[in-house]
Amino acid sequence: MTNTCENEKGDLENSQDQNLIVNLDNLKLNENDLKSLEKQNSRIVNDFKANKLEAEAKKNWDLFYKRNETKFFKDRHWTTREFEELIGSGPSDTSERKTLLEVGCGVGNFVFPLLEENLNLYIYCCDFSPRGVDFVKKNELYDESRVKAFVCDITTDGLTEELGDNSVDIISMVFVLSAIHPDKHHQVFTNLWRVLKPGGILLFRDYAMYDMTMIRFGPGSKIAERFYTRQDGTRTFFFTPADLDSLGKDFTITENQVVQRRTVNKKEGVDATRLFLQAKFIKEASS
């Protein structure tokens, strides 16, 4: 069973229509939030368990999809609203078909809404979890003339082995990097830079520091600064704009900001303010 700091069930489906930009330096936490963050330090995950979580990362995500199948995440119908770069490849786009790579595709909650919009895209999608990729391939919309799914650990050379250098126009990485150990984040960005064509764009969204899920973790969940484990063994990291400035040093960064969203799920009694880090990175044409 997972805790209330879980992956974003429903994502932004029941959220405010607009993002509010937040400066983390000016964000004031209430007394209860500060106490919660302090209490997390009373029992830190020991090195043995932390190493075990890293070694079993693939197994834990595979078990996550075994338990939840395709039922946990809602389809992300908000992506073209948040990332207008995808709309440029809409049905009326008569230019050459572009290629999109989605990393961390899970069971296809990002991919299949895009396919339903008939965008002028060929989509590659990959995930760490063989079970997740298998669910993508079993979807009735899966058609390799439009989309190809494959298993890949994006912290390795697997992307370039599968796709080659300078091979895709757009990369999406949405609530993915946070699940990877922060020591490997730079390598992930290096691998993405290699497969992105010059002039291509990387679209990023993930959890920001002081998001409510970070504050709600209890003692025994904190692995390192801003890095936590859930009860099911999956992990999550919470970003600041400074993290993305460092990770994106080989790109031109056109957006890098914390956005605030209000998530409402009346069925589950949830009315919460969320903080996400949204960024866009361009690989310069001269690269």
Side-chain angles (χ1 to χ4, degrees):
M1 179 178 176
T2 52
N3 63 17
T4 55
C5 301
E6 255 314 331
N7 312 286
E8 293 327 294
K9 188 173 185 178
D11 290 314
L12 305 180
E13 290 302 298
N14 298 301
S15 303
Q16 297 178 61
D17 290 332
Q18 293 184 340
N19 293 324
L20 298 176
I21 309 306
V22 174
N23 185 333
L24 290 178
D25 293 334
N26 298 332
L27 188 67
K28 295 187 182 300
L29 301 180
N30 64 42
E31 186 176 348
N32 287 337
D33 291 344
L34 292 170
K35 286 182 178 179
S36 177
L37 290 172
E38 183 179 356
K39 190 178 294 185
Q40 291 171 0
N41 293 320
S42 67
R43 185 157 50 92
I44 303 294
V45 173
N46 62 47
D47 289 344
F48 175 81
K49 182 177 178 181
N51 292 334
K52 188 170 186 288
L53 289 167
E54 174 66 15
E56 296 179 352
K58 177 185 281 191
K59 183 184 81 171
N60 287 334
W61 276 108
D62 230 34
L63 288 172
F64 172 87
Y65 290 118
K66 181 179 180 180
R67 283 191 302 272
N68 297 288
E69 298 184 342
T70 61
K71 304 179 182 70
F72 193 83
F73 300 108
K74 291 184 179 179
D75 285 347
R76 291 170 174 164
H77 292 284
W78 52 268
T79 51
T80 52
R81 183 183 71 230
E82 297 295 325
F83 298 122
E84 294 179 356
E85 293 79 5
L86 298 170
I87 300 175
S89 300
S92 61
D93 186 352
T94 58
S95 61
E96 182 179 350
R97 183 161 70 160
K98 291 185 177 180
T99 54
L100 165 69
L101 166 65
E102 188 206 359
V103 294
C105 64
V107 297
N109 301 101
F110 181 97
V111 169
F112 293 118
L114 289 182
L115 290 177
E116 289 174 337
E117 292 193 36
N118 292 314
L119 301 175
N120 191 19
L121 287 171
Y122 187 85
I123 303 176
Y124 293 103
C125 59
C126 66
D127 200 274
F128 198 30
S129 164
R131 196 181 301 271
V133 171
D134 191 47
F135 279 121
V136 172
K137 291 183 175 182
K138 289 179 179 178
N139 191 294
E140 62 181 10
L141 293 177
Y142 186 78
D143 175 357
E144 290 205 349
S145 69
R146 303 178 67 200
V147 57
K148 181 180 179 183
F150 58 98
V151 177
C152 184
D153 177 354
I154 61 172
T155 69
T156 70
D157 292 332
L159 277 179
T160 50
E161 291 172 1
E162 178 73 28
L163 301 174
D165 290 343
N166 305 315
S167 55
V168 298
D169 299 288
I170 306 169
I171 299 175
S172 62
M173 183 162 55
V174 178
F175 300 115
V176 174
L177 194 63
S178 55
I180 296 172
H181 196 291
D183 287 351
K184 297 182 177 181
H185 288 176
H186 278 282
Q187 186 59 52
V188 170
F189 264 70
T190 297
N191 296 338
L192 298 181
W193 186 92
R194 287 185 61 185
V195 298
L196 192 62
K197 292 179 182 178
I201 187 168
L202 165 60
L203 307 172
F204 178 94
R205 176 173 276 211
D206 219 318
Y207 307 112
M209 183 173 71
Y210 301 140
D211 178 58
M212 72 162 207
T213 57
M214 174 178 170
I215 294 169
R216 288 186 178 183
F217 276 111
S221 300
K222 188 172 182 179
I223 301 171
E225 194 64 28
R226 295 185 278 128
F227 190 42
Y228 298 82
T229 179
R230 303 182 181 95
Q231 291 177 12
D232 62 3
T234 63
R235 300 165 299 170
T236 186
F237 182 80
F238 296 85
F239 293 90
T240 68
D243 295 326
L244 275 295
D245 283 336
S246 175
L247 293 172
K249 59 182 173 49
D250 293 329
F251 295 83
T252 296
I253 303 175
T254 60
E255 181 181 338
N256 180 15
Q257 59 193 11
V258 176
V259 296
Q260 177 180 295
R261 307 283 301 195
R262 182 178 171 219
T263 299
V264 179
N265 188 322
K266 294 180 180 179
K267 181 179 179 181
E268 297 187 6
V270 174
D271 185 347
T273 299
R274 307 303 309 277
L275 296 176
F276 303 124
L277 199 301
Q278 185 158 304
K280 297 177 183 179
F281 306 86
I282 303 287
K283 180 175 177 179
E284 288 302 317
S286 59
S287 298

